[in-house]
Amino acid sequence: MSDIIQLDGDSIRDAVDARDRYELLRRVQAEAKHSYGGSMKFERRGDAEYLIRRPYSSSTRRSLGRRSPETEAKLEAFLAGKARVEEQIRSLRGQLEDRSAVLRARGLGRVPHLTARVIRKLDDLGWLGTSLIVLGTNALFAYEAKAAVRIESGLLATGDVDVLFDARRRLVMSGGATERGLVGALQSVDRSFHRSSGRTCTAANKDGYMVDLLEPQDHGRIMREGRARLSDAPDDLVATTTDSSRWLLNAPKFEALAFDERGLPLRIVTLDPRAFALQKQWIVENDPTRDPAKRVRDEQQAELVARIATGHLGLRFDDVVLSGLPRAFRDLATKLTENGDETPAEW
């Protein structure tokens, strides 16, 4: 039986419909945050009232002028716009929740619930796709979602999330994560998350679910004192590096909307599937310290993702966008594509 199963037309239609609504929700949420976030109200200063605007996630306060018909109209328009987008957000969330049962019934709810909550938190903070991207097995959820297929194997099983930190980018902090960094963000999802005592790059919760922070140490990194971390908090994670992740910042990114176990959408930003497959194959052939069982899984994942990339997403390993990867990586493509493409089994 094939380990890649093509979704049927009804499943694809329902998934596309939910994704369209989620993309609209994200646009409306962005409008709510940037145009109507924070507050606007009249405040008394001495013997006069002034219209004061405090933007979202900011301590700055700006006066828009003394109370007058113009400033009263400005406040009225702000409150009306805020009410409009809030109602639209409630409506779109309700529609997504209503459709979630159908998506679960069709087997489209794929991403484990805690994994989805962690990735959503990184996205809500504005870190996902900018300073952080998802690595490892969880990337497969993005690949299958974009390709409209389902991976039918144990290759999706994982109990952790790996994230790659681009220390070259300025990390924009917000909310409670400002002082606590990645650990603070994780604890807002599950309070039992703490940095592991023996691995400063790993946070784990009470159930042993782990989040690892990686950083590729390539020549393009802007050097700073010490190893890369998201905050100065003493208990925040400190990024580690591996030989196979050294060049990953030079690989193109890949974005897809997947669905969690409840049937609700989330955005995943990860590596281009070709870079994923090449990295896994490199590990198989160049990391003698790799656990043999993990090596077998790496090889299976490399072959599977290569087939999805070429056979379902129409991507080529000789694409110029991969030229930032070292030749030692790119030369492995011949081993990944020598078996040719596979026609997917029907759902």
Side-chain angles (χ1 to χ4, degrees), residues 61-72:
R61 300 158 67 87
R62 183 166 65 95
S63 173
L64 302 180
R66 298 180 62 158
R67 182 185 284 272
S68 67
E70 290 75 16
T71 53
E72 288 176 350

Side-chain angles (χ1 to χ4, degrees), residues 141-159:
F141 294 116
Y143 305 148
E144 68 168 13
K146 194 77 165 185
V149 300
R150 177 169 176 162
I151 299 172
E152 284 294 302
S153 71
L155 296 180
L156 287 171
T158 182

Side-chain angles (χ1 to χ4, degrees), residues 62-345:
R62 183 166 65 95
S63 173
L64 302 180
R66 298 180 62 158
R67 182 185 284 272
S68 67
E70 290 75 16
T71 53
E72 288 176 350
K74 190 174 295 185
L75 176 60
E76 183 178 348
F78 174 84
L79 295 176
K82 188 181 184 75
R84 172 183 58 80
V85 296
E86 288 176 348
E87 175 57 32
Q88 193 172 7
I89 288 172
R90 283 192 293 270
S91 175
L92 289 168
R93 282 178 172 166
Q95 293 176 46
L96 290 170
E97 290 171 359
D98 290 343
R99 286 164 171 76
S100 63
V102 173
L103 297 173
R104 289 198 309 272
R106 295 198 183 280
L108 299 177
R110 306 284 284 163
V111 185
H113 181 48
L114 181 55
T115 300
R117 292 183 64 200
V118 168
I119 294 174
R120 283 197 187 96
K121 172 55 66 172
L122 301 181
D123 201 7
D124 291 344
L125 291 171
W127 299 354
L128 185 65
T130 54
S131 298
L132 300 176
I133 65 170
V134 176
L135 293 183
T137 297
N138 289 298
L140 272 64
F141 294 116
Y143 305 148
E144 68 168 13
K146 194 77 165 185
V149 300
R150 177 169 176 162
I151 299 172
E152 284 294 302
S153 71
L155 296 180
L156 287 171
T158 182
D160 59 15
V161 173
D162 295 338
V163 290
L164 184 72
F165 178 31
D166 184 351
R168 303 171 304 179
R169 302 290 298 272
R170 178 178 179 270
L171 192 70
V172 179
M173 297 290 192
S174 65
T178 300
E179 299 179 355
R180 300 292 309 284
L182 185 54
V183 168
L186 294 174
Q187 289 179 343
S188 70
V189 173
D190 180 342
R191 294 182 63 182
S192 70
F193 269 113
H194 287 86
R195 191 174 78 178
S196 299
S197 57
R199 285 174 54 86
T200 57
C201 64
T202 301
N205 73 352
K206 58 182 175 57
D207 299 316
Y209 186 93
M210 295 181 291
V211 177
D212 289 329
L213 182 64
L214 304 177
E215 181 207 12
Q217 297 275 10
D218 72 356
H219 62 83
R221 179 178 185 241
I222 296 177
M223 298 307 295
R224 60 181 68 183
E225 293 184 6
R227 295 160 69 191
R229 53 201 302 161
L230 277 74
S231 77
D232 294 328
D235 63 343
D236 199 13
L237 299 191
V238 180
T240 189
T241 188
T242 63
D243 286 341
S244 65
S245 66
R246 186 178 298 274
W247 293 92
L248 294 186
L249 291 181
N250 296 328
K253 295 175 184 175
F254 184 90
E255 179 178 333
L257 295 180
F259 298 97
D260 67 15
E261 292 174 328
R262 299 173 300 163
L264 295 175
L266 71 150
R267 188 174 74 112
I268 301 177
V269 182
T270 183
L271 293 176
D272 183 289
R274 295 163 294 185
F276 178 99
L278 291 171
Q279 183 204 22
K280 289 292 184 180
Q281 189 65 29
W282 188 94
I283 292 172
V284 170
E285 300 190 13
N286 294 277
D287 187 355
T289 65
R290 187 71 164 168
D291 180 271
K294 292 182 178 180
R295 187 190 304 275
V296 171
R297 181 179 167 93
D298 290 334
E299 189 169 20
Q300 292 172 338
Q301 287 185 338
E303 187 271 338
L304 177 79
V305 172
R307 280 192 283 133
I308 290 177
T310 58
H312 301 271
L313 295 173
L315 301 174
R316 298 176 59 88
F317 278 90
D318 59 359
D319 195 323
V320 68
V321 301
L322 299 179
S323 60
L325 297 176
R327 173 65 67 178
F329 267 40
R330 287 180 283 138
D331 285 347
L332 296 172
T334 55
K335 296 185 178 182
L336 293 171
T337 57
E338 60 188 10
N339 294 326
D341 298 335
E342 177 182 294
T343 301

